[in-house]
Amino acid sequence: MRLRVEFTTEPFDLDEAPAHAVVAREVVEAAELDEVDVGPFGNTAEGGADAVLTAVDALLRRSLEAGATRISLQVNVVEESAGEESAAGEGER
């Protein structure tokens, strides 16, 4: 199963990235995810379920420790490409 997580950390600071935002970026960039898009108003990461859930756990814990007062996130199941489905199905026969 593939998941996509979208998240933001607060409080915002448009002049300089706060420590909790830097930590969140470091967590998702270091995780074993297939796609990561980090921006000033929202961030997205995608990958296998285990990798995304592990990254979300670390993201929540480390961002809160670094001063985040609010973390908004959404997790969605995304369809796997045809090549990934057939590769996964081959091992199940």
Side-chain angles (χ1 to χ4, degrees), residues 1 3 6 10 18 49 52 55-56 67-68 70 82 92:
M1 175 186 317
L3 300 176
E6 299 173 48
E10 296 179 36
V52 170
V56 166
R70 177 180 174 135
E92 296 174 4

Side-chain angles (χ1 to χ4, degrees), residues 7-87:
F7 66 92
T8 58
T9 61
E10 296 179 36
F12 294 112
D13 183 345
L14 295 178
D15 294 326
E16 184 176 332
H20 58 80
V22 172
V23 165
R25 181 181 67 225
E26 290 172 349
V27 167
V28 295
E29 288 178 342
E32 295 180 16
L33 302 171
D34 301 330
E35 298 178 32
V36 174
D37 183 22
V38 177
F41 300 109
N43 309 285
T44 305
E46 187 174 316
D50 287 339
V52 170
L53 295 173
T54 298
V56 166
D57 178 64
L59 167 77
L60 292 171
R61 293 175 189 276
R62 294 193 49 210
S63 296
L64 290 168
E65 289 172 357
T69 57
R70 177 180 174 135
I71 302 169
S72 301
L73 65 90
Q74 178 173 302
V75 178
N76 294 297
V77 175
V78 295
E79 292 187 28
E80 296 186 28
S81 69
E84 291 171 345
E85 288 176 2
S86 64

